[in-house]
Amino acid sequence: MRNNLNDKITLITGATSGLGKELALLSAEDYTHLILIGRNSQALNDLKLQIQSFSQCEVSLFVTDYLSASSVKATATALLDQFQKIDVVIHNVGALHSQPQILENGIDRMYQINYLSHYILTESLLSGGCKINQMIFIGSSIKGGSLDFIHNQGNSFNIRKAYAGSKLAMNIYAAYLSEKYPEISVNCFQPGRLNTNIGAKSTHWAHSLYWKTMQIFASDTHPYAKMIVDFMHQNFEKKQSGFSFNKKWIPLNLLNSDKIQELLKWSEEMSSE
C-alpha cells in the first residue's frame, strides 16, 4: 500500500465487470476502503470475496438500478448516511445497444445509464455535503455525438451517434463541474476500444457478433486501469483536471453556455422521478 493512500476511500460504479472490475482489483492494493456499486448483488459479493482474498481493504457494496432515478438517489442517501467524504468517485458504468430502448420516463436506456445516472449520483452527493477530492468519468473515443437526444429520443436512432451523444453529455457535465467546483479535480478518460462485454449485450444479434469479433483486436483492460489508478495516486498532489484522449491531456473547457444550461435544465427535469 502506498503510504499516502492509507486513509483514502474510492467509489466505483459498474464495478463488477470490464474496466470497473479491473479498477476495483487494482485500487484494493492501495486504498483503505472501496465502495463498489453495481446492479447484480451476487457479482458484487463475488468481487468482494475476491478482493478479500488478497487485501485488507474494507469493501462496502451498494446494489443499484442505474435505470431508476429513485434507486440512484436511494444509493446516494445511503452513502451520505455513512460517508462524509469520498476521496475518489469513478463514474464507470456504461451501456451500448443497437436499437432504441425507451424507458417509462421517455429517456433512452443508453442516455439514462451513460449520463443521467452519473448526474443524479453526483448532484445528490454534492448537495448532501459529501466532500470529494477527485472525480473521474470514463468516456469514449467515439466522436460525432450531439445533444439532439434532449429533443429526439427514439426517432432516427443511430447507434454510433446515440452512444457518442450520451458520452458528450457526460463530458460537458464534467467540464461544468470543473468550473463550478474548482476544489475538485475532474478528469475524463477516453479509453478507446477495450476488451469488455459492453457491446455484446442488449444489441441486435448482428451488432453483437460484430462487437465480439472486434474484441479480438481490443486492448486489455489491465494496463488502462493501471494508468488510471496511478493517475489517481499522483493527482492527490497535482490536482489536475483535464480530458485524456490518446494519452494527451486537454483542459476541460466549457463549450456553448446555452447548450450547457439546456443540458442541465433537461437533466434536472428528467431526474425528478
Side-chain angles (χ1 to χ4, degrees):
M1 178 180 290
R2 301 180 229 204
N3 291 334
N4 66 333
L5 305 182
N6 58 11
D7 63 343
K8 297 296 191 285
I9 302 171
T10 296
L11 181 154
I12 304 171
T13 69
T16 58
S17 64
L19 182 62
K21 183 175 182 178
E22 199 67 51
L23 286 167
L25 294 172
L26 286 170
S27 297
E29 297 176 2
D30 290 318
Y31 290 80
T32 301
H33 197 142
L34 286 182
I35 302 168
L36 305 181
I37 300 179
R39 60 185 177 84
N40 186 314
S41 60
Q42 184 60 55
L44 281 171
N45 280 297
D46 289 346
L47 178 56
K48 181 176 181 177
L49 289 174
Q50 184 177 355
I51 289 171
Q52 290 176 333
S53 70
F54 68 88
S55 171
Q56 297 299 313
C57 173
E58 185 175 353
V59 181
S60 297
L61 306 178
F62 291 86
V63 178
T64 305
D65 180 4
Y66 303 112
L67 296 177
S68 166
S70 60
S71 178
V72 177
K73 289 178 181 178
T75 294
T77 298
L79 288 167
L80 290 168
D81 287 341
Q82 298 182 42
F83 303 97
Q84 295 181 336
K85 64 124 182 177
I86 299 174
D87 296 284
V88 184
V89 173
I90 303 178
H91 291 294
N92 166 75
V93 68
L96 174 67
H97 53 76
S98 57
Q99 297 173 315
Q101 298 182 22
I102 307 301
L103 306 175
E104 291 183 1
N105 60 3
I107 302 173
D108 185 86
R109 177 179 180 270
M110 198 148 50
Y111 301 127
Q112 175 78 33
I113 295 176
N114 293 354
Y115 165 65
L116 198 59
S117 67
H118 304 317
Y119 169 88
I120 295 171
L121 181 61
T122 300
E123 292 296 315
S124 298
L125 290 176
L126 291 175
S127 63
C130 184
K131 303 298 182 184
I132 298 174
N133 186 291
Q134 298 187 53
M135 195 170 297
I136 292 175
F137 293 85
I138 305 300
S140 170
S141 59
I142 296 177
K143 304 301 179 184
S146 74
L147 298 183
D148 292 345
F149 67 85
I150 293 176
H151 310 290
N152 180 18
Q153 283 291 324
N155 298 327
S156 303
F157 184 88
N158 177 284
I159 180 174
R160 183 184 181 88
K161 290 182 179 180
Y163 183 74
S166 68
K167 293 296 187 177
L168 173 64
M170 185 190 71
N171 289 341
I172 292 175
Y173 178 57
Y176 160 78
L177 289 173
S178 181
E179 182 172 279
K180 184 175 181 180
Y181 301 97
E183 70 277 12
I184 302 176
S185 170
V186 182
N187 289 278
C188 295
F189 284 83
Q190 316 299 309
R193 188 180 298 279
L194 295 179
N195 191 3
T196 71
N197 63 1
I198 186 173
K201 298 179 179 180
S202 302
T203 62
H204 185 273
W205 69 266
H207 286 100
S208 179
L209 178 61
Y210 167 79
W211 183 266
K212 291 177 180 178
T213 302
M214 290 304 295
Q215 292 309 87
I216 298 173
F217 308 100
S219 301
D220 182 48
T221 56
H222 181 83
Y224 200 84
K226 187 177 186 307
M227 183 189 77
I228 294 175
V229 172
D230 287 344
F231 172 86
M232 288 158 48
H233 165 57
Q234 299 168 4
N235 211 36
F236 281 113
E237 296 180 0
K238 289 185 176 181
K239 297 295 291 183
Q240 179 182 7
S241 290
F243 178 93
S244 169
F245 178 69
N246 288 338
K247 299 184 179 180
K248 295 180 180 180
W249 285 97
I250 305 170
L252 279 174
N253 294 318
L254 291 175
L255 306 175
N256 184 303
S257 59
D258 291 337
K259 285 289 186 182
I260 293 163
Q261 292 307 314
E262 185 178 26
L263 175 64
L264 293 174
K265 180 181 178 181
W266 177 86
S267 303
E268 184 175 359
E269 291 174 352
M270 292 299 101
S271 61
S272 61
E273 173 189 315

